[in-house]
Amino acid sequence: MPVASHTPHRRPRDRRTALVSVVAVAAVALVVALVVAFRPDGGGAAASAGHTAATAVADAEQASPSPTPSRPKPAPPSPKARTAKPSATAATASARPSSSPARAPRAVPASASLAGRIVPGTTYQGVATHYDAADGNGACSFGPSADMMIAAMNTADYDTSKACGAYVRVRAASGASVTVRIVNECPGDCAVGQLDLSVQAFAKLAAPAAGRIAVSWELVSPADAGTLSVRYKTGSSQYWCGVQVLGHRNPVARLEVRAGNGWLALPRTSYNYFLSEKGSGCGGAIRITDIYGERLTVDGIAVKPNVVQPTRVQFAAH
């Protein structure tokens, strides 16, 4: 008779033994953990692992800082906003010290700084007419002229009497030329570039009957000019005065009087006097500058109204 197969079962005793084994292992593990935790180094692997994790987090925060609001980029400056290079003047000098060496100011031609409208070395085109100059007196207030080679300058080029006393060489298309001294202003019908010559001067270029001719003209500095003189205007005193320069070789650009420890520039009138409205410097030293920048200083000129007082100086020829 066949024998049936039988699968053996674990007995209850075997289960209890396994449970006791597990509890024993857990207890041993607990004892080991307590021993490790209370070691003198106080950290153990777990503490070291925790510290490493914290350090990694801190490093991550430093490597990835919180984003800051981005600032809009400024727009590029417009060409109109660019600062022009300053001229080398006292008004533009900066009070801040600079680490870069200072540049010497560029020399400014006399024609740009002092000459006004009539610039040395420049040839002008225009027309010449003529008038009856009588005794040669005119808007420049020079008085009668012994030499009738004189002319009146159009109002624009007269330039508030800056042209007074200038010597001008006038040349006609025929090649004829004459040198005249500006003593008067030609207002009204005289256009820019026009000269109204005395009849005597016009006759050196063409017959007066021609009336009007095309010319070119330029500023000159005569070789023979003697010395210049100074005259105080009628009514001048220590409280108010007008000062005029006569017989100058080159046009006068500026007149200054000694005032305290410095020099005071006097304003110029259309009738060719420099006025000191409050009397500053009247009767004191006078400094005269021509359009080329040369300065002449004269002293000992007393306030004698309407008296021509000669000096010993004259501007250089150019």
Side-chain angles (χ1 to χ4, degrees):
M1 182 175 179
V3 179
S5 63
H6 174 74
T7 302
H9 296 277
R10 293 180 179 176
R11 290 177 295 182
R13 181 180 176 183
D14 293 337
R15 292 180 181 176
R16 288 196 299 269
T17 302
L19 179 61
V20 170
S21 298
V22 171
V23 171
V25 171
V28 171
L30 177 61
V31 171
V32 171
L34 292 175
V35 170
V36 171
F38 288 98
R39 287 174 58 184
D41 60 6
S48 176
H51 175 74
T52 303
T55 303
V57 171
D59 290 343
E61 291 176 350
Q62 291 178 1
S64 303
S66 59
T68 56
S70 59
R71 297 181 180 179
K73 296 182 179 179
S78 167
K80 292 182 180 180
R82 294 177 183 175
T83 304
K85 185 179 293 184
S87 336
T89 62
T92 60
S94 174
R96 297 180 180 178
S98 174
S99 57
S100 59
R103 297 181 180 179
R106 183 177 60 181
V108 179
S111 59
S113 59
L114 295 172
R117 289 181 59 89
I118 305 176
V119 180
T122 302
T123 300
Y124 299 89
Q125 305 296 325
V127 297
T129 52
H130 60 79
Y131 75 109
D132 181 5
D135 63 357
N137 193 18
C140 293
S141 308
F142 288 139
S145 177
D147 181 2
M148 294 306 294
M149 294 298 104
I150 56 177
M153 182 66 73
N154 66 84
T155 297
D157 294 325
Y158 183 78
D159 198 9
T160 315
S161 79
K162 288 183 180 179
C164 285
Y167 288 89
V168 174
R169 181 184 294 120
V170 187
R171 191 179 302 275
S174 63
S177 65
V178 63
T179 297
V180 296
R181 184 170 62 102
I182 305 301
V183 301
N184 206 353
E185 177 186 7
C186 179
D189 295 337
C190 280
V192 175
Q194 182 173 347
L195 293 169
D196 203 21
L197 310 179
S198 66
V199 175
Q200 297 90 325
F202 189 94
K204 300 288 185 179
L205 303 176
R212 181 186 183 93
I213 60 173
V215 296
S216 62
W217 54 273
E218 60 184 349
L219 188 68
V220 295
S221 182
D224 185 13
T227 58
L228 57 80
S229 302
V230 174
R231 175 167 57 194
Y232 277 98
K233 194 179 186 306
T234 301
S236 294
S237 69
Q238 61 178 322
Y239 305 108
W240 178 96
C241 65
V243 188
Q244 181 186 52
V245 184
L246 303 94
H248 45 89
R249 174 182 274 124
N250 307 317
V252 172
R254 182 185 299 123
L255 187 144
E256 301 164 282
V257 293
R258 175 70 74 179
N261 296 325
W263 293 94
L264 174 66
L266 300 183
R268 190 172 197 164
T269 68
S270 61
Y271 51 88
N272 196 35
Y273 272 90
F274 295 84
L275 298 185
S276 178
E277 297 283 1
K278 297 182 180 179
S280 299
C282 295
I286 300 172
R287 188 165 71 179
I288 309 161
T289 306
D290 71 0
I291 63 172
Y292 297 96
E294 183 180 1
R295 291 174 177 173
L296 301 175
T297 301
V298 295
D299 205 348
I301 306 296
V303 181
K304 297 180 180 179
N306 203 30
V307 175
V308 176
Q309 302 183 62
T311 71
R312 298 179 180 181
V313 295
Q314 180 58 273
F315 294 117
H318 291 268

